[in-house]
Amino acid sequence: MKLIIEILLMGVAVAVAAFLLPGVQVNGFLSAIIAGVLIALANATIGTILRLLTFPINILTLGIMSFIITVLMVLLVDSLMDGFNTDGFFSALLFAIVLALIKMVFGMFSRD
């Protein structure tokens, strides 16, 4: 049950972030849910491998490299999905920031 709620909240977060940013488009709530799940999966698999490979650079840049990897995962999902589009790196960067802020707000209200 908790997994379903997390997936729905991720879909809401993607939909809200896309609504707030002019450079990001999502074709409906189902596309937002799928995009959210794909972004989470890309971050958990490919993103983790890239973070391990770039660990020294990540330390030197104080974590900025990790954030850039997250933006690259958003761009990867953009290229894989038709219902989720960003207008480029800067739009994906803003989307990742807004998405992280929205998820942080949702995390403040959720209980374990």
Side-chain angles (χ1 to χ4, degrees):
M1 185 66 170
K2 183 176 177 167
L3 178 65
I4 294 171
I5 292 172
E6 289 291 326
I7 290 172
L8 290 176
L9 285 177
M10 184 67 166
V12 169
V14 168
V16 169
F19 177 76
L20 294 174
L21 298 171
V24 180
Q25 298 84 30
V26 176
N27 297 340
F29 187 65
L30 182 61
S31 292
I33 291 174
I34 293 171
V37 168
L38 287 178
I39 290 169
L41 286 174
N43 266 327
T45 56
I46 300 167
T48 301
I49 294 168
L50 289 175
R51 283 180 188 85
L52 287 173
L53 293 174
T54 61
F55 184 70
I57 297 169
N58 202 10
I59 290 174
L60 291 174
T61 61
L62 302 175
I64 293 173
M65 188 64 186
S66 183
F67 183 70
I68 290 173
I69 290 171
T70 300
V71 173
L72 292 174
M73 295 304 103
V74 170
L75 289 172
L76 175 67
V77 172
D78 173 23
S79 68
L80 293 175
M81 266 188 78
D82 289 333
F84 174 71
N85 296 311
T86 60
D87 289 342
F89 185 82
F90 187 68
S91 294
L93 177 87
L94 291 175
F95 177 79
I97 292 169
V98 171
L99 188 64
L101 291 173
I102 292 170
K103 286 174 56 179
M104 182 180 67
V105 170
F106 285 166
M108 289 180 354
F109 292 113
S110 70
R111 291 183 228 159
D112 288 332

